[in-house]
Amino acid sequence: MIRVLLAEDQGMMRGALALLLGMEPDIEVVAQVGRGDEIVDAALLSRPDVALLDIELPGRSGLDAAADLRDETPDCRVLILTTFGRPGYLRRAMEAGAVGFLVKDGPVEELAEAVRKALRGETVIDPALAAAALGAGPNPLTARERDALAASVDGATIADIAAGLHLSESTVRNYLSSAIGKTGTRNRMEAVRTARQQGWL
């Protein structure tokens, strides 16, 4: 049996996926979580062969959790399953050690087959998304520019961002200014929006 951990914040979707995967003769869902910060603990307890992770989860993103799983449970293969097929997300998922990236609107048979392929060590990527990611190029933002933009999401002031990131206000301004330039936008809210659309944040 292939042991699967499922991380999805929408309860109905999580339950439906667990039910559908559980109907496969060779797949057993051994753990289900609704938050990103619960993934690693659940994996350490249940020892899944494959982890199916959503990206946008409360507590921690599935992409960050994927990198932790690679370090904490190296035998567990990670598949990203998301509503948002953004090129930047695919690149970040691969960098975090994921072996697959699928969008949620595919048939469950494809998902089950992706789980089997992941266990065999194969890479499984939605073809249209792979083409888009190759065309999009790498993320131009540095880690610190991403941090500053992410901290801007709720309209925080420069002082708030500086305090939260333990940086000076002038350094935060520099990072934001650089991010605005790299995204070709007019202000930090537009930069946040563009970076999110590209999957860079």
Side-chain angles (χ1 to χ4, degrees):
M1 291 293 277
I2 305 171
R3 298 166 59 81
V4 172
L5 176 149
L6 203 51
E8 162 64 54
D9 62 328
Q10 295 178 16
M12 193 177 291
M13 172 70 85
R14 186 171 65 245
L17 284 170
L19 190 65
L20 291 167
L21 286 172
M23 293 168 79
E24 297 291 321
D26 57 342
I27 295 175
E28 179 188 6
V29 177
V30 295
Q32 298 180 46
V33 297
R35 295 179 55 86
D37 49 13
E38 296 172 346
I39 292 171
V40 173
D41 287 344
L44 290 170
L45 277 174
S46 61
R47 292 292 170 185
D49 301 306
V50 177
L52 276 176
L53 310 182
D54 191 7
I55 291 179
E56 297 191 357
L57 294 166
R60 192 137 210 257
S61 87
L63 296 173
D64 292 334
D68 289 344
L69 286 178
R70 179 188 54 202
D71 299 336
E72 301 272 343
T73 57
D75 294 334
C76 177
R77 310 273 186 204
V78 174
L79 284 174
I80 300 293
L81 182 65
T82 182
T83 308
F84 307 103
R86 295 172 181 158
Y89 278 168
L90 171 57
R91 193 175 290 271
R92 286 171 59 201
M94 298 296 111
E95 287 168 358
V99 298
F101 194 103
L102 303 164
V103 287
K104 288 180 187 172
D105 58 5
V108 73
E109 295 81 15
E110 279 183 19
L111 179 58
E113 191 51 35
V115 167
R116 295 181 188 106
K117 285 180 176 177
L119 193 63
R120 294 195 297 262
E122 297 177 38
T123 301
V124 190
I125 298 172
D126 180 272
L129 190 59
L134 286 171
N139 181 348
L141 302 173
T142 66
R144 276 312 206 173
E145 287 164 358
R146 287 197 306 270
D147 290 344
L149 275 184
S152 300
V153 168
D154 296 323
T157 65
I158 298 291
D160 293 336
I161 297 167
L165 296 178
H166 306 291
L167 297 169
S168 71
E169 291 185 28
S170 63
T171 300
V172 168
R173 281 194 190 89
N174 289 341
Y175 285 140
L176 289 172
S177 175
S178 178
I180 290 164
K182 288 178 179 178
T183 53
T185 53
R186 293 173 299 177
N187 56 53
R188 61 180 160 139
M189 289 298 105
E190 282 185 15
V192 166
R193 192 162 44 250
T194 297
R196 278 186 154 172
Q197 285 166 353
Q198 292 295 327
W200 296 335
L201 268 193

